[in-house]
Each structure stands twice: as structure tokens, then as C-alpha cells.
């Protein structure tokens, strides 16, 4: 199955026949009858279970249907949503959370039991795919958690965590209804009520007129899966109202185009290589250090990303709370040779597993292979299926690629780098690192946590498995006949939210 919708199929109206592209028609009194947004698709790998699905298009759908207790603002700090407030006890082992007056789409009242069920589901027996937040919430002691009436929940932790609202704002923590098991027709508390979903093609929902944060200005929301060229062509032709994650060349095409507004949100898309540290040759820290010096980041940004971004430095979260400024890792073939000799490695050769799932992936992979060759290292670029790449890349191969939107740095550590993290693409397992994370969570002051997180960054910068090589803008485009279309850092609360969209 193809990832998303190809250009020809999209423009010939495969979805339009189903009514998904009736963009912006029938507006009255400032209301938008139908609003259609297009995101990068991933075929059969897409889903709508907030416990397990992680793609950007998945998150866009889930923002429509569900709410979290907390979500992240543009500075990667938690803001209350279904929670009104959250307060720790003196030692950070219990959090009392006051809940908002809200209702589920089926009319039931949102209560503390829904929160307890969601947490127990995440921490319960794993599904075929692991629950994303299982490691993020693994400090929760379910046996001691309790409802304090309908509108207050007390969450007990096995160890102190003075940043627990960050954990409750991470991927995989959106609140599901008590007892929910079938997500083919999900029921949420969010601004839109589920109508239909076809993986790799389209999602439909209608306005939740009783939404606690105000009824949406959009009566019917459509989110369609489409490849990059299809998103560009469709927003140009008016078949869609909003296009997410456009390439730099697409953004240049739309520059100053009448009837279309273009937004470029900086510091948004983070490109990386991921070395699997549990298998040769990357189980040797000196080989990992060599790869960090084998990457000409400036050339990758200039060529593969068309100059539309900044050089990264193998430390996640530039510009956000707890980011560690460290000396730039530079391209250094002589140092590569020294480190490989120290590792006792000769004639190094390995596969780089990639797929055309995001702009510049294949170009960056091939350019990196050229850079490695200049260091005497052979890199074999292996192309996988774009429909299943992100799932396959968790376990396949030795070196893979990825693109991340911003996350808070503590959530990045918890979801990707602690031993057993479900999104641990580098298979990183380091007892010192795990212990430092636990100590940071138990530290009540932000200044104290910052010092510990810096030490964790220094470990990864020295011998970790990630090579973060570029940070790009996030380009989106919308028809100028609408206002309040989202233009925000991915993964933040305001990204991919369409409930405030209105007609001009």
C-alpha cells in the first residue's frame, strides 16, 4: 500500500468523491462548513489509538478527538488542559490533580475514573505494539493511586518526580474513557467527534458543540494523508485548505502566491541518524564517536535540506528548557581514523536503512555515504518501505534515520533513551544515564535539574547513539480565506489544532 495519497490519485478526486475535499463551502455567520487539512501519510502504519500511534498525522487526528491532562506550549513547558491544576506533596511522590468540568462525546461526564483507567491501560499488559508512555509513566504506583471524589485524582509515584506534569503531557497520555478497548470508533472529550477513518487516506469528524473550550468554528473537519507533491498541488488548486510540513522547494513555490498564506516556524524539524548501540559495530563507543566526526552537518543542511535549516550538534532540544550548549562536533576524517584505530576496527562497512518518508532523507543518506567514503568507511544505503519505515526502523538494521518534532528534553530522555523505552531507536541502555534521570526527577529546583540534565547531555554527546545533524523550519500553508490556522512548533499544543479556525 502506498504511503498517503499519490499526486495523481489525490488530484483526480479519489477523496473528493467521498466528500472529503468540499473545502470551505457553505460558510455562514463566520462558521466553516468543512475544513480540509493534509498531512504526510504513512499508509497502513497510521492509527488513532492514542496509546500506541506516534506519527504526525496520527497526532493531528488525536488532537481533534482527545485531550490530555496537560499539553506542551511552544516553549516545551506543560500547560493544563483536562487538568485545572496539579500540586505535588513535599517530597514529590504524590500529585493531586484537580480536573476540568468536561464531557465525553457520548454525553458521559469526565471523571477521575477515566484518568485512572488511562494510566492503568498504559501501564498494563502490552499490546502488539507497546504503549508509548509506558516508560514515561513507569514511576506511577497504580496500587496507591485514587480518586478523591469525581473531580480530583491523586497519582502516587514510587520515586519522586517534581516534573510529573511533563510526563502527563507526553505522547501516549491523552485521556481515554474508562473501559475503552475498541478504538475503531473512538470517543473522546476533544473539539471534534469521530466520524470516519481510513488509514493512509482520510479522517472525518464533526464539531463537538459542547466542547469545554468552546465550540469549534469548523463544523466538519477532514484530515487527509498525502505525499509532499500532492499537498503542494492541492493547496495551490484549492482542493485543501491547509497543508502541513511542506518542503523548502514547495515553500518557495508558494511564496507570495495570491490567496495563500505561508508560515515557516523555526527550530521545528530535527533530523538524525540513529546508531543501534546494542550490536556491532555500534556497540563500541569509539565507533560511535567516529561516526559523529564522519558527518559533515553543514554540507547535509546545505545540499540535502536545500539550506533551509541550521546545523545541529548531537544534543536534542536546541532552544528549549534544559538544552546544553556544547562545542560543535565537526567533520574530521583524521579524527575518524584515530578513533577507529583505537577501536581496533579496520575496513569499516555498515548499512544505512532509510526510506523516502520525509523530505531529504534519501538525499541525506547518500550524501552521508559520500562523506563516510572520504573517511575510508563504506556505507551501503538500503531503502525500506515508506509505509512501514518508522515501525521497521525500531528494530531493523544498524544505522537508521529519523525526523522528530520538538519534545521537552525530559520527555525525550524518558521516551527514547531510558533502558526499555518503547521508542528507543538507538537501543541505548546505560545504568549511569538511567540513575541520573531518576535523580533529576527527584530534584525540586529547576536549577538543580538543569545541572543533572547537562551531565546527561554530555554523556550522549560523547558516546550516545544519536547524530542530530539538522534543525529545519516547519513550513505550512493555508488559504487566506481562513484565519486562526495553526502555525506552531510541532508537538506543541497549538500545532495541528483546527478548532479555532474561522472564516475571514
Amino acid at each position: 500500500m502506498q504511503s498517503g495519497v499519490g499526486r495523481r490519485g489525490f488530484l483526480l478526486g479519489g477523496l473528493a468523491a467521498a466528500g472529503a475535499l468540499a473545502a470551505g463551502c457553505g460558510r455562514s455567520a463566520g462558521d466553516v462548513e468543512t475544513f480540509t487539512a493534509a498531512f504526510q501519510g504513512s499508509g497502513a502504519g497510521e492509527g488513532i489509538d492514542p496509546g500506541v500511534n506516534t506519527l504526525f498525522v496520527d497526532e493531528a487526528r488525536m488532537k481533534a478527538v482527545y485531550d490530555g491532562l496537560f499539553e506542551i506550549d511552544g516553549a516545551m513547558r506543560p500547560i493544563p488542559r483536562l487538568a485545572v491544576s496539579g500540586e505535588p506533596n513535599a517530597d514529590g511522590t504524590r500529585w493531586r490533580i484537580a480536573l476540568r468540568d468536561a464531557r465525553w462525546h457520548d454525553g458521559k461526564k469526565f471523571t477521575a475514573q477515566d484518568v485512572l483507567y488511562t494510566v492503568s491501560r498504559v501501564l498494563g499488559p502490552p499490546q502488539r505494539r507497546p504503549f508509548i508512555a509506558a516508560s514515561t509513566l513507569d514511576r506511577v504506583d497504580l496500587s496507591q493511586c485514587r480518586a478523591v471524589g469525581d473531580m480530583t485524582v491523586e497519582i502516587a509515584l514510587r520515586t519522586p518526580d517534581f516534573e510529573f506534569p511533563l510526563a502527563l503531557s507526553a505522547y501516549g497520555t491523552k485521556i481515554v474513557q474508562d473501559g475503552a478497548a475498541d478504538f475503531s470508533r473512538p470517543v473522546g472529550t476533544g473539539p471534534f467527534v469521530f466520524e470516519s477513518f481510513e488509514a493512509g487516506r482520510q479522517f472525518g469528524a464533526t464539531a463537538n458543540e459542547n466542547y469545554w473550550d468552546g465550540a469549534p468554528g469548523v463544523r466538519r473537519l477532514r484530515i487527509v494523508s498525502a505525499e509532499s507533491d500532492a499537498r503542494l498541488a492541492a493547496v495551490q488548486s484549492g482542493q485543501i485548505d491547509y497543508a502541513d510540513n511542506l518542503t523548502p522547494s514547495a515553500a518557495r513555490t508558494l511564496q507570495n502566491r495570491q490567496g495563500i498564506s505561508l508560515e515557516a516556524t523555526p527550530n521545528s524539524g530535527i533530523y538524525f541518524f540513529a546508531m543501534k548501540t546494542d550490536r556491532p559495530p555500534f556497540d563500541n563507543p569509539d565507533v560511535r564517536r567516529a561516526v559523529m566526526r564522519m558527518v559533515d552537518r553543514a554540507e547535509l543542511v546545505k545540499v540535502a535540506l536545500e539550506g533551509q535549516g541550521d546545523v545541529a550538534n548531537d544534543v536534542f532540544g536546541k532552544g528549549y528548557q534544559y538544552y546544553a550548549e556544547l562545542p560543535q562536533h565537526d567533520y574530521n576524517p583524521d579524527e575518524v581514523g584515530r578513533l577507529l584505530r583505537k577501536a581496533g576496527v579496520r575496513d569499516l562497512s555498515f548499512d544505512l536503512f532509510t526510506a523516502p518518508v520525509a523530505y531529504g532523507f534519501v538525499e541525506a543518506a547518500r550524501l552521508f555515504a559520500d562523506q563516510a567514503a572520504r573517511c575510508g568507511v563504506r556505507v551501503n544505503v538500503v531503502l525500506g518501505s515508506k509505509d512501514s519505515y518508522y515501525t521497521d526502523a525500531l528494530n531493523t538494521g544498524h544505522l537508521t534515520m529519523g525526523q522528530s518534532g520538538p519534545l521537552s528534553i525530559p520527555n525525550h530522555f524518558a521516551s527514547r533513551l531510558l533502558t526499555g523505552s518503547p521508542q528507543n531507536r538507538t537501543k541505548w541502555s546505560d545504568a549511569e544515564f538511567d540513575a541520573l534521570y531518576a535523580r533529576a526527577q527527584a530534584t525540586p529546583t529547576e536549577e538543580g535539574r538543569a545541572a543533572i540534565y547537562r551531565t546527561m547531555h554530555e554523556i550522549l554527546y560523547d558516546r550516545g547513539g544519536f547524530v542530530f545533524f539538522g534543525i529545519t523550519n516547519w513550513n505550512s500553508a493555508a488559504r487566506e480565506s481562513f484565519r486562526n490556522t495553526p502555525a506552531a512548533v510541532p508537538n506543541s499544543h497549538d500545532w495541528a489544532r483546527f478548532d479555532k479556525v474561522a472564516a475571514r
Side-chain angles (χ1 to χ4, degrees):
M1 183 174 183
Q2 270 201 327
S3 172
V5 184
R7 178 175 179 174
R8 180 173 175 82
F10 193 101
L11 297 181
L12 290 180
L15 293 179
L21 296 178
C25 61
R27 293 191 291 270
S28 61
D31 288 336
V32 178
E33 184 65 30
T34 301
F35 188 89
T36 302
F39 289 77
Q40 176 66 43
S42 191
E46 297 176 18
I48 197 168
D49 181 340
V52 300
N53 295 114
T54 64
L55 300 172
F56 284 127
V57 68
D58 297 335
E59 181 68 7
R61 286 185 291 260
M62 288 185 283
K63 278 175 174 281
V65 175
Y66 301 101
D67 292 303
L69 289 176
F70 296 87
E71 296 186 19
I72 292 291
D73 68 9
M76 298 292 109
R77 296 175 184 266
I79 53 175
R81 295 299 291 166
L82 283 177
V84 174
S85 63
E87 296 294 333
N89 64 356
D91 66 0
T93 58
R94 287 182 181 269
W95 279 79
R96 183 163 286 203
I97 299 169
L99 303 179
R100 191 174 300 279
D101 183 10
R103 290 196 173 271
W104 295 95
H105 296 157
D106 61 6
K108 293 180 182 176
K109 184 177 175 59
F110 164 65
T111 72
Q113 292 302 324
D114 300 308
V115 177
L116 294 174
Y117 174 78
T118 300
V119 175
S120 66
R121 177 177 186 257
V122 169
L123 296 175
Q127 301 188 160
R128 179 178 59 85
R129 294 175 62 183
F131 288 107
I132 310 159
S135 63
T136 310
L137 300 181
D138 67 354
R139 287 181 176 78
V140 173
D141 183 352
L142 283 174
S143 67
Q144 298 299 311
C145 296
R146 65 190 183 106
V148 183
D150 280 350
M151 300 307 294
T152 304
V153 63
E154 187 173 271
I155 299 183
L157 308 175
R158 294 188 181 88
T159 57
D161 185 350
F162 284 95
E163 290 193 302
F164 189 58
L166 274 176
L168 291 175
S169 67
Y171 266 97
T173 59
K174 284 186 166 51
I175 302 301
V176 301
Q177 194 174 59
D178 184 15
D182 179 5
F183 290 88
S184 62
R185 297 195 62 82
V187 174
T189 59
F192 294 94
V193 179
F194 175 85
E195 186 179 57
S196 64
F197 171 57
E198 183 181 357
R201 293 190 65 82
Q202 65 90 26
F203 159 89
T206 55
N208 177 7
E209 299 292 344
N210 299 311
Y211 187 44
W212 59 266
D213 199 21
V218 172
R219 295 183 182 180
R220 196 174 193 212
L221 174 67
R222 291 294 184 190
I223 294 175
V224 298
S225 301
E227 295 176 8
S228 179
D229 62 343
R231 297 197 299 278
L232 171 62
V235 76
Q236 286 180 296
S237 67
Q239 286 185 299
I240 63 172
D241 303 306
Y242 177 89
D244 179 69
N245 194 14
L246 295 169
T247 67
S249 58
R252 285 194 295 271
T253 299
L254 296 175
Q255 196 82 41
N256 301 318
R257 186 178 179 90
Q258 186 175 2
I260 294 176
S261 61
L262 182 67
E263 297 286 348
T265 305
N267 209 24
S268 295
I270 304 167
Y271 280 67
F272 60 82
F273 298 114
M275 299 176 275
K276 290 192 169 59
T277 61
D278 65 340
R279 64 199 69 173
F282 302 123
D283 56 348
N284 187 317
D286 281 319
V287 174
R288 301 197 295 271
R289 293 178 179 117
V291 172
M292 291 179 186
R293 278 76 172 181
M294 203 182 296
V295 179
D296 187 336
R297 295 158 183 78
E299 187 179 37
L300 285 169
V301 171
K302 180 180 179 180
V303 178
L305 303 182
E306 298 185 30
Q308 301 298 305
D310 298 313
V311 169
N313 193 32
D314 308 334
V315 178
F316 184 89
K318 185 175 182 179
Y320 296 110
Q321 184 185 27
Y322 301 130
Y323 179 75
E325 293 283 355
L326 297 169
Q328 180 65 49
H329 274 158
D330 292 323
Y331 182 62
N332 191 333
D334 291 338
E335 182 67 2
V336 171
R338 187 191 72 80
L339 287 164
L340 292 180
R341 288 192 297 273
K342 181 182 176 185
V345 174
R346 299 183 60 182
D347 301 322
L348 180 61
S349 175
F350 53 82
D351 292 344
L352 168 52
F353 179 55
T354 190
V357 289
Y359 170 76
F361 266 35
V362 176
E363 294 82 359
R366 289 174 175 157
L367 182 54
F368 170 61
D370 292 341
Q371 295 170 357
R374 299 197 292 268
C375 299
V377 174
R378 181 176 178 179
V379 175
N380 309 302
V381 176
V382 178
L383 295 181
S385 167
K386 57 188 174 184
D387 288 352
S388 59
Y389 176 73
Y390 284 112
T391 300
D392 296 341
L394 274 171
N395 297 303
T396 298
H398 299 79
L399 182 68
T400 64
M401 294 184 68
Q403 180 193 28
S404 172
L407 296 173
S408 73
I409 285 171
N411 281 348
H412 167 68
F413 288 156
S415 63
R416 298 169 177 171
L417 288 160
L418 297 183
T419 301
S421 294
Q423 293 296 312
N424 193 340
R425 297 188 177 276
T426 62
K427 305 303 179 185
W428 176 256
S429 179
D430 186 287
E432 178 187 4
F433 188 90
D434 291 351
L436 284 167
Y437 181 81
R439 183 150 64 90
Q441 300 306 289
T443 301
T445 67
E446 183 176 316
E447 181 181 17
R449 292 192 295 271
I452 298 169
Y453 289 139
R454 181 179 178 87
T455 300
M456 296 171 72
H457 273 311
E458 289 170 345
I459 290 172
L460 297 169
Y461 173 86
D462 172 52
R463 62 177 190 271
F466 278 118
V467 178
F468 297 107
F469 66 84
I471 305 171
T472 63
N473 295 338
W474 200 266
N475 298 309
S476 61
R479 294 173 61 201
E480 287 185 340
S481 52
F482 300 102
R483 54 188 173 87
N484 302 334
T485 54
V489 172
N491 294 338
S492 68
H493 167 69
D494 290 330
W495 174 78
R497 286 196 71 94
F498 299 101
D499 48 308
K500 304 303 181 186
V501 170
R504 290 191 185 277

